[in-house]
Amino acid sequence: MFVILVYDVNQKRVSKVLKKCRQYLHWVQNSVLEGEISEANLKKLKMELERIIRKDEDSVIFYNLRTTKYSSREIIGLEKGGQENII
């Protein structure tokens, strides 16, 4: 499946959340990652993020798309991030 992940976390945890997410997805912009991920890895990522974030302060949103067949992506301005995946 294709996932878009958006997060808004306390400054103290931003680097930990980004580092963990980049193990599974591609960073595309500040607090935004996307990419293909298996259901098993998505479940694993969610469990690992739950150990990092504080649910009373932080927010992580997953947009799940079963297929990218009918989706498109348009960038206006500077393209941040990249397609490299850091593990």
Side-chain angles (χ1 to χ4, degrees):
M1 78 177 65
F2 188 82
V3 171
I4 299 171
L5 181 148
V6 180
Y7 64 89
D8 183 7
V9 299
N10 187 293
Q11 185 66 33
K12 298 174 189 175
R13 292 178 287 281
V14 168
S15 63
K16 288 181 182 180
V17 169
L18 178 59
K19 185 176 179 180
K20 181 56 61 184
C21 292
R22 288 184 76 172
Q23 291 177 353
Y24 297 90
L25 300 168
H26 303 287
W27 176 75
V28 292
Q29 198 172 62
N30 296 346
S31 304
V32 180
L33 296 99
E34 66 181 24
E36 292 285 337
I37 189 169
S38 68
E39 288 193 41
N41 278 340
L42 180 59
K43 187 174 183 178
K44 186 177 176 185
L45 173 58
K46 288 179 181 180
M47 289 188 317
E48 291 174 359
L49 287 174
E50 285 179 355
R51 291 188 209 121
I52 297 171
I53 70 166
R54 289 193 48 187
K55 290 185 178 181
D56 60 331
E57 289 183 18
D58 304 327
S59 174
V60 179
I61 301 170
F62 292 88
Y63 295 93
N64 302 317
L65 297 106
R66 297 289 173 200
T67 178
T68 57
K69 184 176 180 180
Y70 301 108
S71 67
S72 65
R73 185 172 184 250
E74 181 179 347
I75 300 169
I76 298 174
L78 179 65
E79 181 173 0
K80 294 186 177 184
Q83 293 301 313
E84 71 279 351
N85 203 4
I86 297 175
I87 296 179

